[in-house]
mmCIF file of all heavy atoms in Angstrom:
data_model
loop_
_atom_site.group_PDB
_atom_site.id
_atom_site.type_symbol
_atom_site.label_atom_id
_atom_site.label_comp_id
_atom_site.label_asym_id
_atom_site.label_seq_id
_atom_site.Cartn_x
_atom_site.Cartn_y
_atom_site.Cartn_z
ATOM 1 N N VAL A 568 -20.298 -6.481 -15.053
ATOM 2 C CA VAL A 568 -20.840 -7.750 -15.371
ATOM 3 C C VAL A 568 -22.315 -7.765 -14.854
ATOM 4 O O VAL A 568 -22.612 -7.551 -13.719
ATOM 5 C CB VAL A 568 -20.192 -8.881 -14.744
ATOM 6 C CG1 VAL A 568 -20.781 -10.236 -15.009
ATOM 7 C CG2 VAL A 568 -18.596 -9.009 -15.244
ATOM 8 N N SER A 569 -23.243 -8.152 -15.743
ATOM 9 C CA SER A 569 -24.706 -8.157 -15.244
ATOM 10 C C SER A 569 -24.962 -9.428 -14.340
ATOM 11 O O SER A 569 -24.180 -10.349 -14.435
ATOM 12 C CB SER A 569 -25.691 -8.148 -16.541
ATOM 13 O OG SER A 569 -25.400 -9.481 -17.086
ATOM 14 N N LYS A 570 -25.985 -9.354 -13.653
ATOM 15 C CA LYS A 570 -26.342 -10.383 -12.786
ATOM 16 C C LYS A 570 -26.623 -11.742 -13.559
ATOM 17 O O LYS A 570 -26.159 -12.712 -13.115
ATOM 18 C CB LYS A 570 -27.676 -10.041 -11.995
ATOM 19 C CG LYS A 570 -28.021 -11.052 -10.919
ATOM 20 C CD LYS A 570 -29.060 -10.621 -10.094
ATOM 21 C CE LYS A 570 -29.381 -11.583 -8.948
ATOM 22 N NZ LYS A 570 -30.627 -11.217 -8.099
ATOM 23 N N GLU A 571 -27.101 -11.578 -14.703
ATOM 24 C CA GLU A 571 -27.475 -12.744 -15.495
ATOM 25 C C GLU A 571 -26.150 -13.437 -16.061
ATOM 26 O O GLU A 571 -25.979 -14.629 -16.004
ATOM 27 C CB GLU A 571 -28.366 -12.320 -16.730
ATOM 28 C CG GLU A 571 -29.695 -11.959 -16.382
ATOM 29 C CD GLU A 571 -29.845 -10.481 -15.877
ATOM 30 O OE1 GLU A 571 -28.911 -9.628 -16.250
ATOM 31 O OE2 GLU A 571 -30.741 -10.273 -15.132
ATOM 32 N N VAL A 572 -25.217 -12.580 -16.506
ATOM 33 C CA VAL A 572 -23.898 -13.103 -16.990
ATOM 34 C C VAL A 572 -23.115 -13.692 -15.794
ATOM 35 O O VAL A 572 -22.535 -14.796 -15.963
ATOM 36 C CB VAL A 572 -23.073 -11.997 -17.668
ATOM 37 C CG1 VAL A 572 -21.589 -12.452 -18.042
ATOM 38 C CG2 VAL A 572 -23.757 -11.510 -18.918
ATOM 39 N N ALA A 573 -23.136 -13.080 -14.712
ATOM 40 C CA ALA A 573 -22.444 -13.450 -13.413
ATOM 41 C C ALA A 573 -23.043 -14.872 -13.045
ATOM 42 O O ALA A 573 -22.256 -15.903 -12.770
ATOM 43 C CB ALA A 573 -22.405 -12.531 -12.331
ATOM 44 N N LEU A 574 -24.281 -15.102 -13.029
ATOM 45 C CA LEU A 574 -24.955 -16.294 -12.747
ATOM 46 C C LEU A 574 -24.639 -17.442 -13.663
ATOM 47 O O LEU A 574 -24.392 -18.606 -13.302
ATOM 48 C CB LEU A 574 -26.550 -16.102 -12.617
ATOM 49 C CG LEU A 574 -27.342 -17.394 -12.117
ATOM 50 C CD1 LEU A 574 -26.837 -17.719 -10.652
ATOM 51 C CD2 LEU A 574 -28.775 -17.029 -12.090
ATOM 52 N N LYS A 575 -24.640 -16.994 -14.998
ATOM 53 C CA LYS A 575 -24.299 -17.972 -16.011
ATOM 54 C C LYS A 575 -22.873 -18.584 -15.873
ATOM 55 O O LYS A 575 -22.609 -19.769 -16.015
ATOM 56 C CB LYS A 575 -24.502 -17.368 -17.347
ATOM 57 C CG LYS A 575 -24.326 -18.384 -18.570
ATOM 58 C CD LYS A 575 -24.618 -17.761 -19.787
ATOM 59 C CE LYS A 575 -24.392 -18.722 -20.959
ATOM 60 N NZ LYS A 575 -24.673 -18.136 -22.337
ATOM 61 N N MET A 576 -21.991 -17.536 -15.549
ATOM 62 C CA MET A 576 -20.517 -17.921 -15.322
ATOM 63 C C MET A 576 -20.322 -18.781 -14.144
ATOM 64 O O MET A 576 -19.649 -19.792 -14.162
ATOM 65 C CB MET A 576 -19.597 -16.593 -15.196
ATOM 66 C CG MET A 576 -19.514 -15.927 -16.474
ATOM 67 S SD MET A 576 -18.691 -14.396 -16.288
ATOM 68 C CE MET A 576 -17.196 -14.752 -15.618
ATOM 69 N N TYR A 577 -21.132 -18.468 -12.947
ATOM 70 C CA TYR A 577 -21.000 -19.199 -11.907
ATOM 71 C C TYR A 577 -21.578 -20.708 -12.145
ATOM 72 O O TYR A 577 -20.853 -21.729 -11.634
ATOM 73 C CB TYR A 577 -21.849 -18.625 -10.621
ATOM 74 C CG TYR A 577 -21.882 -19.442 -9.494
ATOM 75 C CD1 TYR A 577 -20.664 -19.457 -8.619
ATOM 76 C CD2 TYR A 577 -22.960 -20.203 -9.036
ATOM 77 C CE1 TYR A 577 -20.756 -20.251 -7.494
ATOM 78 C CE2 TYR A 577 -23.003 -20.874 -7.838
ATOM 79 C CZ TYR A 577 -21.853 -20.876 -7.112
ATOM 80 O OH TYR A 577 -21.724 -21.717 -6.002
ATOM 81 N N LYS A 578 -22.718 -20.920 -12.700
ATOM 82 C CA LYS A 578 -23.213 -22.128 -13.124
ATOM 83 C C LYS A 578 -22.189 -22.930 -13.971
ATOM 84 O O LYS A 578 -22.089 -24.101 -13.769
ATOM 85 C CB LYS A 578 -24.443 -22.065 -14.002
ATOM 86 C CG LYS A 578 -25.627 -21.642 -13.059
ATOM 87 C CD LYS A 578 -27.037 -21.508 -13.849
ATOM 88 C CE LYS A 578 -28.071 -21.150 -13.007
ATOM 89 N NZ LYS A 578 -29.349 -20.987 -13.711
ATOM 90 N N GLY A 579 -21.526 -22.178 -14.727
ATOM 91 C CA GLY A 579 -20.461 -22.911 -15.713
ATOM 92 C C GLY A 579 -19.281 -23.392 -14.823
ATOM 93 O O GLY A 579 -18.797 -24.475 -14.981
ATOM 94 N N MET A 580 -18.940 -22.561 -13.827
ATOM 95 C CA MET A 580 -17.838 -22.916 -12.955
ATOM 96 C C MET A 580 -18.177 -24.166 -12.128
ATOM 97 O O MET A 580 -17.427 -25.082 -11.765
ATOM 98 C CB MET A 580 -17.424 -21.791 -12.044
ATOM 99 C CG MET A 580 -16.651 -20.737 -12.692
ATOM 100 S SD MET A 580 -15.951 -19.445 -11.679
ATOM 101 C CE MET A 580 -17.408 -18.470 -11.191
ATOM 102 N N VAL A 581 -19.427 -24.261 -11.606
ATOM 103 C CA VAL A 581 -19.914 -25.393 -10.781
ATOM 104 C C VAL A 581 -20.042 -26.632 -11.719
ATOM 105 O O VAL A 581 -19.548 -27.644 -11.349
ATOM 106 C CB VAL A 581 -21.273 -25.068 -10.158
ATOM 107 C CG1 VAL A 581 -21.812 -26.380 -9.603
ATOM 108 C CG2 VAL A 581 -21.198 -23.992 -9.126
ATOM 109 N N THR A 582 -20.410 -26.473 -12.966
ATOM 110 C CA THR A 582 -20.471 -27.560 -13.896
ATOM 111 C C THR A 582 -18.999 -28.187 -14.249
ATOM 112 O O THR A 582 -18.792 -29.299 -14.200
ATOM 113 C CB THR A 582 -21.260 -27.187 -15.217
ATOM 114 O OG1 THR A 582 -22.521 -26.706 -14.906
ATOM 115 C CG2 THR A 582 -21.262 -28.259 -16.131
ATOM 116 N N LEU A 583 -18.165 -27.199 -14.419
ATOM 117 C CA LEU A 583 -16.802 -27.567 -14.703
ATOM 118 C C LEU A 583 -16.191 -28.348 -13.595
ATOM 119 O O LEU A 583 -15.439 -29.350 -13.753
ATOM 120 C CB LEU A 583 -15.949 -26.434 -15.093
ATOM 121 C CG LEU A 583 -14.395 -26.647 -15.326
ATOM 122 C CD1 LEU A 583 -14.266 -27.623 -16.468
ATOM 123 C CD2 LEU A 583 -13.782 -25.296 -15.740
ATOM 124 N N ASN A 584 -16.438 -27.901 -12.333
ATOM 125 C CA ASN A 584 -15.930 -28.579 -11.110
ATOM 126 C C ASN A 584 -16.538 -30.005 -11.021
ATOM 127 O O ASN A 584 -15.691 -30.924 -10.672
ATOM 128 C CB ASN A 584 -16.286 -27.719 -9.998
ATOM 129 C CG ASN A 584 -15.649 -28.303 -8.626
ATOM 130 O OD1 ASN A 584 -16.248 -29.201 -8.064
ATOM 131 N ND2 ASN A 584 -14.511 -27.741 -8.298
ATOM 132 N N ILE A 585 -17.763 -30.176 -11.327
ATOM 133 C CA ILE A 585 -18.345 -31.451 -11.157
ATOM 134 C C ILE A 585 -17.797 -32.427 -12.411
ATOM 135 O O ILE A 585 -17.502 -33.524 -12.106
ATOM 136 C CB ILE A 585 -19.902 -31.339 -11.414
ATOM 137 C CG1 ILE A 585 -20.496 -30.685 -10.187
ATOM 138 C CG2 ILE A 585 -20.604 -32.785 -11.631
ATOM 139 C CD1 ILE A 585 -21.988 -30.327 -10.268
ATOM 140 N N MET A 586 -17.641 -31.796 -13.565
ATOM 141 C CA MET A 586 -17.017 -32.553 -14.674
ATOM 142 C C MET A 586 -15.726 -32.960 -14.377
ATOM 143 O O MET A 586 -15.236 -34.149 -14.573
ATOM 144 C CB MET A 586 -17.067 -31.787 -15.944
ATOM 145 C CG MET A 586 -18.459 -31.590 -16.569
ATOM 146 S SD MET A 586 -18.487 -30.513 -17.970
ATOM 147 C CE MET A 586 -17.382 -31.336 -19.093
ATOM 148 N N ASP A 587 -14.889 -32.176 -13.674
ATOM 149 C CA ASP A 587 -13.491 -32.412 -13.300
ATOM 150 C C ASP A 587 -13.484 -33.599 -12.349
ATOM 151 O O ASP A 587 -12.653 -34.447 -12.545
ATOM 152 C CB ASP A 587 -12.845 -31.246 -12.551
ATOM 153 C CG ASP A 587 -12.075 -30.340 -13.643
ATOM 154 O OD1 ASP A 587 -11.995 -30.666 -14.917
ATOM 155 O OD2 ASP A 587 -11.746 -29.235 -13.187
ATOM 156 N N LYS A 588 -14.295 -33.650 -11.360
ATOM 157 C CA LYS A 588 -14.247 -34.754 -10.438
ATOM 158 C C LYS A 588 -14.714 -35.966 -11.083
ATOM 159 O O LYS A 588 -14.025 -37.118 -10.834
ATOM 160 C CB LYS A 588 -15.390 -34.482 -9.379
ATOM 161 C CG LYS A 588 -15.036 -33.354 -8.446
ATOM 162 C CD LYS A 588 -16.077 -33.105 -7.369
ATOM 163 C CE LYS A 588 -15.676 -31.894 -6.544
ATOM 164 N NZ LYS A 588 -16.777 -31.478 -5.554
ATOM 165 N N PHE A 589 -15.683 -36.023 -12.008
ATOM 166 C CA PHE A 589 -16.103 -37.236 -12.729
ATOM 167 C C PHE A 589 -14.916 -37.698 -13.628
ATOM 168 O O PHE A 589 -14.569 -38.896 -13.629
ATOM 169 C CB PHE A 589 -17.316 -36.880 -13.649
ATOM 170 C CG PHE A 589 -17.854 -37.966 -14.414
ATOM 171 C CD1 PHE A 589 -18.542 -38.981 -14.003
ATOM 172 C CD2 PHE A 589 -17.486 -37.979 -15.821
ATOM 173 C CE1 PHE A 589 -19.015 -40.100 -14.705
ATOM 174 C CE2 PHE A 589 -17.925 -39.076 -16.587
ATOM 175 C CZ PHE A 589 -18.723 -40.154 -16.004
ATOM 176 N N PHE A 590 -14.217 -36.807 -14.518
ATOM 177 C CA PHE A 590 -13.356 -37.277 -15.342
ATOM 178 C C PHE A 590 -11.949 -37.629 -14.615
ATOM 179 O O PHE A 590 -11.198 -38.518 -15.068
ATOM 180 C CB PHE A 590 -13.084 -36.178 -16.498
ATOM 181 C CG PHE A 590 -14.142 -36.233 -17.525
ATOM 182 C CD1 PHE A 590 -14.950 -35.157 -17.636
ATOM 183 C CD2 PHE A 590 -14.384 -37.367 -18.231
ATOM 184 C CE1 PHE A 590 -15.962 -35.029 -18.634
ATOM 185 C CE2 PHE A 590 -15.373 -37.305 -19.288
ATOM 186 C CZ PHE A 590 -16.123 -36.159 -19.509
ATOM 187 N N TYR A 591 -11.762 -36.921 -13.663
ATOM 188 C CA TYR A 591 -10.526 -37.284 -12.802
ATOM 189 C C TYR A 591 -10.568 -38.664 -12.246
ATOM 190 O O TYR A 591 -9.660 -39.451 -12.188
ATOM 191 C CB TYR A 591 -10.233 -36.249 -11.750
ATOM 192 C CG TYR A 591 -8.992 -36.465 -10.816
ATOM 193 C CD1 TYR A 591 -7.776 -36.351 -11.340
ATOM 194 C CD2 TYR A 591 -9.227 -36.960 -9.667
ATOM 195 C CE1 TYR A 591 -6.612 -36.630 -10.613
ATOM 196 C CE2 TYR A 591 -8.120 -37.280 -8.882
ATOM 197 C CZ TYR A 591 -6.828 -37.087 -9.324
ATOM 198 O OH TYR A 591 -5.769 -37.311 -8.529
ATOM 199 N N GLU A 592 -11.815 -38.980 -11.749
ATOM 200 C CA GLU A 592 -12.043 -40.298 -11.051
ATOM 201 C C GLU A 592 -11.962 -41.415 -12.199
ATOM 202 O O GLU A 592 -11.401 -42.426 -12.025
ATOM 203 C CB GLU A 592 -13.357 -40.352 -10.338
ATOM 204 C CG GLU A 592 -13.350 -39.579 -9.115
ATOM 205 C CD GLU A 592 -14.690 -39.517 -8.374
ATOM 206 O OE1 GLU A 592 -15.682 -40.273 -8.888
ATOM 207 O OE2 GLU A 592 -14.880 -38.812 -7.467
ATOM 208 N N ALA A 593 -12.468 -41.090 -13.433
ATOM 209 C CA ALA A 593 -12.373 -42.036 -14.498
ATOM 210 C C ALA A 593 -10.976 -42.244 -14.932
ATOM 211 O O ALA A 593 -10.577 -43.382 -15.211
ATOM 212 C CB ALA A 593 -13.255 -41.493 -15.665
ATOM 213 N N GLN A 594 -10.121 -41.227 -14.917
ATOM 214 C CA GLN A 594 -8.729 -41.217 -15.330
ATOM 215 C C GLN A 594 -8.015 -42.097 -14.262
ATOM 216 O O GLN A 594 -7.133 -42.961 -14.638
ATOM 217 C CB GLN A 594 -8.170 -39.928 -15.418
ATOM 218 C CG GLN A 594 -6.722 -39.970 -15.899
ATOM 219 C CD GLN A 594 -5.736 -39.975 -14.801
ATOM 220 O OE1 GLN A 594 -5.881 -39.489 -13.838
ATOM 221 N NE2 GLN A 594 -4.562 -40.579 -15.139
ATOM 222 N N ARG A 595 -8.192 -41.880 -12.830
ATOM 223 C CA ARG A 595 -7.692 -42.635 -11.942
ATOM 224 C C ARG A 595 -7.949 -44.205 -11.916
ATOM 225 O O ARG A 595 -7.234 -45.073 -11.402
ATOM 226 C CB ARG A 595 -8.034 -42.058 -10.509
ATOM 227 C CG ARG A 595 -7.527 -40.537 -10.295
ATOM 228 C CD ARG A 595 -6.062 -40.391 -10.317
ATOM 229 N NE ARG A 595 -5.372 -41.168 -9.227
ATOM 230 C CZ ARG A 595 -4.067 -41.481 -9.212
ATOM 231 N NH1 ARG A 595 -3.271 -41.227 -10.286
ATOM 232 N NH2 ARG A 595 -3.557 -42.051 -8.181
ATOM 233 N N GLN A 596 -9.152 -44.455 -12.442
ATOM 234 C CA GLN A 596 -9.597 -45.863 -12.571
ATOM 235 C C GLN A 596 -9.102 -46.545 -13.895
ATOM 236 O O GLN A 596 -9.428 -47.696 -14.053
ATOM 237 C CB GLN A 596 -11.098 -45.855 -12.512
ATOM 238 C CG GLN A 596 -11.727 -45.412 -11.241
ATOM 239 C CD GLN A 596 -13.328 -45.324 -11.275
ATOM 240 O OE1 GLN A 596 -13.884 -45.524 -12.318
ATOM 241 N NE2 GLN A 596 -13.783 -44.829 -10.118
ATOM 242 N N GLY A 597 -8.438 -45.795 -14.734
ATOM 243 C CA GLY A 597 -7.793 -46.319 -15.851
ATOM 244 C C GLY A 597 -8.863 -46.223 -17.161
ATOM 245 O O GLY A 597 -8.509 -46.790 -18.211
ATOM 246 N N ARG A 598 -9.926 -45.691 -16.947
ATOM 247 C CA ARG A 598 -11.003 -45.545 -18.060
ATOM 248 C C ARG A 598 -10.485 -44.382 -18.999
ATOM 249 O O ARG A 598 -11.074 -44.482 -20.069
ATOM 250 C CB ARG A 598 -12.354 -45.353 -17.466
ATOM 251 C CG ARG A 598 -12.824 -46.619 -16.720
ATOM 252 C CD ARG A 598 -14.183 -46.529 -16.285
ATOM 253 N NE ARG A 598 -14.364 -45.563 -15.216
ATOM 254 C CZ ARG A 598 -15.460 -44.884 -14.951
ATOM 255 N NH1 ARG A 598 -16.566 -45.052 -15.721
ATOM 256 N NH2 ARG A 598 -15.573 -44.042 -13.940
ATOM 257 N N LEU A 599 -9.682 -43.446 -18.599
ATOM 258 C CA LEU A 599 -9.194 -42.459 -19.527
ATOM 259 C C LEU A 599 -7.646 -42.509 -19.357
ATOM 260 O O LEU A 599 -7.095 -42.682 -18.239
ATOM 261 C CB LEU A 599 -9.713 -40.992 -19.056
ATOM 262 C CG LEU A 599 -11.130 -40.766 -19.272
ATOM 263 C CD1 LEU A 599 -11.448 -39.415 -18.648
ATOM 264 C CD2 LEU A 599 -11.499 -40.684 -20.691
ATOM 265 N N SER A 600 -7.043 -42.170 -20.359
ATOM 266 C CA SER A 600 -5.551 -42.251 -20.398
ATOM 267 C C SER A 600 -4.920 -41.076 -19.734
ATOM 268 O O SER A 600 -3.941 -41.071 -19.074
ATOM 269 C CB SER A 600 -4.962 -42.548 -21.725
ATOM 270 O OG SER A 600 -5.302 -41.433 -22.565
ATOM 271 N N PHE A 601 -5.593 -39.856 -19.914
ATOM 272 C CA PHE A 601 -5.054 -38.642 -19.405
ATOM 273 C C PHE A 601 -6.124 -37.651 -19.274
ATOM 274 O O PHE A 601 -7.095 -37.591 -19.927
ATOM 275 C CB PHE A 601 -3.917 -38.112 -20.420
ATOM 276 C CG PHE A 601 -3.321 -36.836 -19.948
ATOM 277 C CD1 PHE A 601 -2.343 -36.860 -18.955
ATOM 278 C CD2 PHE A 601 -3.747 -35.630 -20.421
ATOM 279 C CE1 PHE A 601 -1.731 -35.694 -18.487
ATOM 280 C CE2 PHE A 601 -3.084 -34.297 -20.049
ATOM 281 C CZ PHE A 601 -2.105 -34.475 -18.993
ATOM 282 N N TYR A 602 -6.079 -36.886 -18.087
ATOM 283 C CA TYR A 602 -7.040 -35.774 -17.930
ATOM 284 C C TYR A 602 -6.492 -34.872 -16.943
ATOM 285 O O TYR A 602 -5.757 -35.196 -15.780
ATOM 286 C CB TYR A 602 -8.415 -36.394 -17.280
ATOM 287 C CG TYR A 602 -9.392 -35.210 -17.100
ATOM 288 C CD1 TYR A 602 -10.025 -34.739 -18.234
ATOM 289 C CD2 TYR A 602 -9.680 -34.668 -15.877
ATOM 290 C CE1 TYR A 602 -10.961 -33.701 -18.147
ATOM 291 C CE2 TYR A 602 -10.533 -33.541 -15.767
ATOM 292 C CZ TYR A 602 -11.148 -33.175 -16.874
ATOM 293 O OH TYR A 602 -12.083 -32.098 -16.842
ATOM 294 N N LEU A 603 -6.495 -33.574 -17.277
ATOM 295 C CA LEU A 603 -5.864 -32.460 -16.553
ATOM 296 C C LEU A 603 -6.976 -31.723 -15.956
ATOM 297 O O LEU A 603 -7.862 -31.201 -16.705
ATOM 298 C CB LEU A 603 -5.056 -31.595 -17.429
ATOM 299 C CG LEU A 603 -4.177 -30.463 -16.798
ATOM 300 C CD1 LEU A 603 -3.275 -31.055 -15.718
ATOM 301 C CD2 LEU A 603 -3.514 -29.639 -17.809
ATOM 302 N N THR A 604 -7.118 -31.569 -14.700
ATOM 303 C CA THR A 604 -8.143 -30.844 -13.965
ATOM 304 C C THR A 604 -8.036 -29.408 -13.962
ATOM 305 O O THR A 604 -6.948 -28.936 -14.224
ATOM 306 C CB THR A 604 -8.432 -31.300 -12.518
ATOM 307 O OG1 THR A 604 -7.196 -30.950 -11.778
ATOM 308 C CG2 THR A 604 -8.606 -32.790 -12.409
ATOM 309 N N SER A 605 -9.112 -28.620 -13.668
ATOM 310 C CA SER A 605 -8.988 -27.268 -13.453
ATOM 311 C C SER A 605 -9.367 -26.792 -12.062
ATOM 312 O O SER A 605 -9.733 -25.724 -11.818
ATOM 313 C CB SER A 605 -10.055 -26.546 -14.307
ATOM 314 O OG SER A 605 -9.744 -26.768 -15.709
ATOM 315 N N PHE A 606 -9.157 -27.759 -11.184
ATOM 316 C CA PHE A 606 -9.478 -27.443 -9.639
ATOM 317 C C PHE A 606 -8.910 -26.141 -9.125
ATOM 318 O O PHE A 606 -7.691 -25.853 -9.303
ATOM 319 C CB PHE A 606 -9.128 -28.499 -8.773
ATOM 320 C CG PHE A 606 -9.909 -29.798 -9.011
ATOM 321 C CD1 PHE A 606 -9.251 -31.014 -8.983
ATOM 322 C CD2 PHE A 606 -11.254 -29.846 -9.137
ATOM 323 C CE1 PHE A 606 -9.990 -32.295 -9.354
ATOM 324 C CE2 PHE A 606 -11.988 -31.033 -9.256
ATOM 325 C CZ PHE A 606 -11.289 -32.223 -9.373
ATOM 326 N N GLY A 607 -9.772 -25.282 -8.725
ATOM 327 C CA GLY A 607 -9.355 -23.930 -8.266
ATOM 328 C C GLY A 607 -9.078 -22.959 -9.298
ATOM 329 O O GLY A 607 -8.773 -21.827 -9.035
ATOM 330 N N GLU A 608 -9.204 -23.285 -10.482
ATOM 331 C CA GLU A 608 -8.933 -22.305 -11.687
ATOM 332 C C GLU A 608 -10.173 -22.282 -12.580
ATOM 333 O O GLU A 608 -9.989 -21.963 -13.699
ATOM 334 C CB GLU A 608 -7.672 -22.798 -12.483
ATOM 335 C CG GLU A 608 -6.425 -22.751 -11.514
ATOM 336 C CD GLU A 608 -5.251 -23.344 -12.246
ATOM 337 O OE1 GLU A 608 -5.310 -23.850 -13.194
ATOM 338 O OE2 GLU A 608 -4.117 -23.125 -11.574
ATOM 339 N N GLU A 609 -11.261 -22.592 -12.126
ATOM 340 C CA GLU A 609 -12.509 -22.618 -12.881
ATOM 341 C C GLU A 609 -12.773 -21.363 -13.528
ATOM 342 O O GLU A 609 -13.161 -21.190 -14.730
ATOM 343 C CB GLU A 609 -13.722 -23.271 -12.143
ATOM 344 C CG GLU A 609 -13.608 -24.640 -11.737
ATOM 345 C CD GLU A 609 -12.952 -24.741 -10.281
ATOM 346 O OE1 GLU A 609 -12.428 -23.743 -9.834
ATOM 347 O OE2 GLU A 609 -13.010 -25.961 -9.832
#
Side-chain angles (χ1 to χ4, degrees):
V568 178
S569 69
K570 186 175 181 177
E571 293 79 24
V572 171
L574 186 58
K575 185 176 180 179
M576 290 171 61
Y577 179 74
K578 287 179 180 179
M580 288 188 286
V581 171
T582 301
L583 179 55
N584 186 274
I585 292 168
M586 290 175 58
D587 269 350
K588 289 177 186 173
F589 178 79
F590 286 115
Y591 179 73
E592 289 174 6
Q594 187 269 330
R595 298 298 294 162
Q596 295 169 2
R598 294 187 286 154
L599 293 175
S600 62
F601 181 78
Y602 185 75
L603 185 63
T604 66
S605 297
F606 291 134
E608 299 176 348
E609 295 89 351

